[in-house]
Amino acid sequence: MASSLALPFSPNLRENALLLQPCKAPPLPCSKRRLSLPVRASTSTPPFRIFEPLQAEESSLPSDTVLADPDFYRIGYARSMRVYGVEFREGPGGFGVYASRDVEPRRRARMIMEIPLEMMLTISQKLPWMFFPDIIPIGHPIFDIINSTNPETDWDLRLACLLLYAFDVEGNFWQLYGDFLPGADECTSLLLAQKEDLLELQDSELASKIDEQHCRGLEFWEKNWHSAAPLKIKRLARDPERFIWALSMAQSRSIQMKIRVGALVQDAHMLVPYADMLNHSFQPNCFLHWRFKDRMLEVMINAGQRISKGDEMTINYMSGKKNNMFMERYGFSSPTNPWDVINFSGNSKIHLDSFLSVFNICGLPEEFYHNRHLTNEQDASFVDGAVIAAARTLPVWTDVDMPMVPSIERKAARELQEECHQMLSEFQTTSDQDLQLLESDPEASRTREAAIKYRLHRKLFLGKVIQALEMYQDRILF
């Protein structure tokens, strides 16, 4: 579902060559072993501050994070991966990417990371299957397993097989990078959840989908990792838990992108090291770009974006998707998802233009945004993604020729509030009880914690809509 690497933004890549020096920072627990990988270093240029510790008084980085193990950088840098002005840090929720310097807004997007194709694991979305790099030799049985999958639906099974195979190839980069991937007990993917954790979702439809996905993975493993399978296949995933973990990595850490390699243009599913450490945001400050000339994936800062030292660098994993989709694939949710939905069953409707005007929401339904320049400080802090989602999901009428009667409009708003209260009453627990559960059980599994947060975020969303309707009744424009 990260000593400091504060590099200058130099257009000359030769000037960005780093001299790897011994680091005094202690290794992180996530690194299972120290590496003795020979590293190509340049001695013709002065060394940059790659592994120097940051001065505390100059840094506004999160206090609950620590810098990534130096080996995390070395294994990528030796293979031509480059980063500029950012650093990787690990906190309670896993890895993240943070700015190590201030970045002033520019008219053009600025690159902060470039990863060569040779470090990735990619497979084409459609037949014939094509891999970049092509690490599977002709006649290897793993190709037969990949070829047996459904071309329309089983992209994640194919990518999981490719990941497991990469772990088995001697000298392959992913043998080293795998040490920094989250283990089964650290991952929030619900494919790794116990049955009782799925019950904590309090969403039977979502729990059923995840259970089906889990059974699908188990059936695939049983079909291909049977007792008669050759040893070169058996050793990739000796138990079903290993395969389910690889499947969760494929689902939660991959991207789908159109890439061009030479004259070939194709849609591909890709596992991109280092870029997969970027966390999600509905208002991201970065995006991904394919540079076909050099076969590089670039992470770019949005044009016009101001970045302060210590800011987290984020991308948008999926645009226009509800929380249940994020939960199903990545194992997390958000109470301020601007695309979440409430399914109202009554006939009550409010006037769309009036609701938007009250909260200074502008744009078309697919591009709603909050115009903060028109609001006071209190409203600016109240209107977030949940209110934007309410503007998209509340039943509305838009007939401009019919004048709005305030009393009828308030009645409709109250009826919608009552339906939201009814939805809240159908949950088995309240928001306060969910918070108490999270606070009282700090040793709970990551999947159980994610499941409780999912239902909590749903309740917080409903509560925000109730508040918004209350404010709307007080401010109806007529």
Side-chain angles (χ1 to χ4, degrees):
M1 212 312 234
S3 172
S4 165
L5 193 58
L7 307 184
F9 291 88
S10 172
N12 189 339
L13 292 182
R14 290 180 180 270
E15 295 178 4
N16 290 326
L18 308 180
L19 179 62
L20 300 180
Q21 299 183 3
C23 175
K24 299 179 181 180
L28 294 184
C30 68
S31 182
K32 299 176 183 175
R33 52 190 170 89
R34 301 296 298 171
L35 305 179
S36 57
L37 182 71
V39 179
R40 294 174 297 174
S42 171
T43 58
S44 59
T45 57
F48 289 108
R49 296 181 297 112
I50 181 173
F51 294 135
E52 292 180 18
L54 289 176
Q55 298 297 322
E57 62 272 16
E58 298 177 359
S59 176
S60 60
L61 293 163
S63 59
D64 60 345
T65 62
V66 292
L67 290 165
D69 190 306
D71 288 337
F72 183 69
Y73 298 108
R74 287 194 181 100
I75 62 174
Y77 186 78
R79 293 164 175 81
S80 300
M81 186 279 297
R82 298 292 184 268
V83 296
Y84 308 92
V86 297
E87 59 192 16
F88 297 85
R89 303 180 71 88
E90 187 179 23
F95 275 92
V97 185
Y98 298 87
S100 60
R101 60 185 296 172
D102 294 337
V103 179
E104 295 300 318
R106 290 189 176 182
R107 295 178 60 186
R108 299 181 62 183
R110 170 179 285 183
M111 180 176 64
I112 59 171
M113 197 183 305
E114 56 183 356
I115 303 103
L117 177 65
E118 288 72 21
M119 291 176 62
M120 308 175 198
L121 293 176
T122 70
I123 183 171
S124 58
Q125 184 177 345
K126 297 180 180 179
L127 286 167
W129 309 129
M130 301 193 70
F131 311 93
F132 292 106
D134 189 1
I135 59 175
I136 300 182
I138 296 175
H140 195 284
I142 194 65
F143 184 81
D144 295 329
I145 295 176
I146 291 175
N147 206 39
S148 69
T149 59
N150 186 327
E152 301 297 326
T153 60
D154 293 343
W155 65 269
D156 51 347
L157 297 176
R158 292 188 288 273
L159 201 54
C161 289
L162 191 58
L163 177 61
L164 289 170
Y165 177 76
F167 289 148
D168 191 58
V169 177
E170 185 177 357
N172 188 274
F173 165 77
W174 285 84
Q175 286 186 327
L176 306 176
Y177 192 74
D179 287 349
F180 300 95
L181 295 177
D185 58 339
E186 301 169 317
C187 185
T188 59
S189 172
L190 295 186
L191 285 176
L192 302 167
Q194 301 295 324
K195 293 283 187 180
E196 53 269 23
D197 292 344
L198 296 181
L199 295 177
E200 297 291 354
L201 292 168
Q202 296 184 8
D203 184 334
S204 57
E205 184 177 351
L206 176 58
S208 177
K209 285 183 178 180
I210 294 171
D211 188 53
E212 289 175 4
Q213 289 289 323
H214 184 81
C215 292
R216 167 174 163 263
L218 287 179
E219 290 173 1
F220 185 79
W221 180 85
E222 292 171 354
K223 175 184 175 182
N224 295 289
W225 273 263
H226 48 78
S227 58
L231 178 60
K232 60 176 63 177
I233 292 297
K234 283 185 178 179
R235 68 190 184 202
L236 302 184
R238 296 186 179 275
D239 52 66
E241 289 76 16
R242 175 69 171 172
F243 182 80
I244 296 297
W245 173 83
L247 185 61
S248 72
M249 292 295 103
Q251 289 189 2
S252 62
R253 307 185 78 84
S254 67
I255 62 171
Q256 181 182 343
M257 190 177 232
K258 187 181 292 293
I259 64 173
R260 174 181 168 186
V261 180
L264 180 64
V265 179
Q266 64 179 7
D267 291 316
H269 291 286
M270 313 164 68
L271 284 171
V272 185
Y274 297 98
D276 65 355
M277 299 299 179
L278 290 160
N279 288 318
H280 166 80
S281 173
F282 293 108
Q283 295 180 316
N285 49 26
C286 296
F287 66 95
L288 304 178
H289 173 257
W290 179 254
R291 194 173 81 212
F292 72 90
K293 179 181 178 181
D294 303 310
R295 306 199 306 180
M296 292 272 190
L297 183 96
E298 299 176 324
V299 181
M300 312 285 288
I301 297 177
N302 294 330
Q305 185 89 45
R306 182 185 299 277
I307 304 293
S308 299
K309 182 178 179 179
D311 287 352
E312 184 171 10
M313 316 307 289
T314 57
I315 58 175
N316 192 338
Y317 289 177
M318 293 192 296
S319 179
K321 299 298 183 181
K322 300 184 293 183
N323 269 348
N324 60 342
M325 293 295 295
F326 278 94
M327 199 69 196
E328 182 179 345
R329 179 164 175 182
Y330 299 104
F332 70 83
S333 58
S334 169
T336 58
N337 183 347
W339 297 97
D340 221 358
V341 171
I342 299 175
N343 297 315
F344 291 94
S345 58
N347 298 319
S348 302
K349 295 181 179 181
I350 59 173
H351 192 261
L352 176 61
D353 293 336
S354 180
F355 184 85
L356 298 179
S357 299
V358 161
F359 295 105
N360 294 302
I361 297 173
C362 309
L364 299 173
E366 298 301 314
E367 300 175 349
F368 277 154
Y369 68 94
H370 179 218
N371 192 334
R372 296 180 180 272
H373 297 293
L374 301 177
T375 58
N376 56 42
E377 185 175 347
Q378 181 179 359
D379 284 351
S381 61
F382 177 80
V383 180
D384 56 18
V387 180
I388 302 292
R392 289 194 175 100
T393 192
L394 284 169
V396 297
W397 61 279
T398 58
D399 190 350
V400 295
D401 296 327
M402 182 180 297
M404 179 180 61
V405 179
S407 61
I408 297 178
E409 192 73 7
R410 290 191 180 94
K411 179 183 177 183
R414 286 195 297 270
E415 289 175 352
L416 292 173
Q417 281 181 305
E418 291 174 2
E419 190 164 357
C420 287
H421 282 295
Q422 177 62 32
M423 294 179 190
L424 284 173
S425 67
E426 293 174 358
F427 284 98
Q428 301 169 11
T429 57
T430 65
S431 298
D432 291 339
Q433 289 172 332
D434 290 341
L435 287 171
Q436 290 176 1
L437 280 173
L438 292 172
E439 294 172 358
S440 63
D441 191 7
E443 301 300 323
S445 66
R446 296 294 300 277
T447 52
R448 176 182 170 83
E449 180 183 349
I452 295 175
K453 285 183 177 179
Y454 171 76
R455 74 190 193 213
L456 171 62
H457 292 163
R458 183 66 175 174
K459 295 165 194 172
L460 294 176
F461 174 44
L462 287 166
K464 191 78 173 215
V465 173
I466 292 172
Q467 285 181 277
L469 288 169
E470 190 68 37
M471 295 175 65
Y472 175 58
Q473 293 175 58
D474 294 336
R475 304 179 183 181
I476 285 177
L477 303 180
F478 60 93

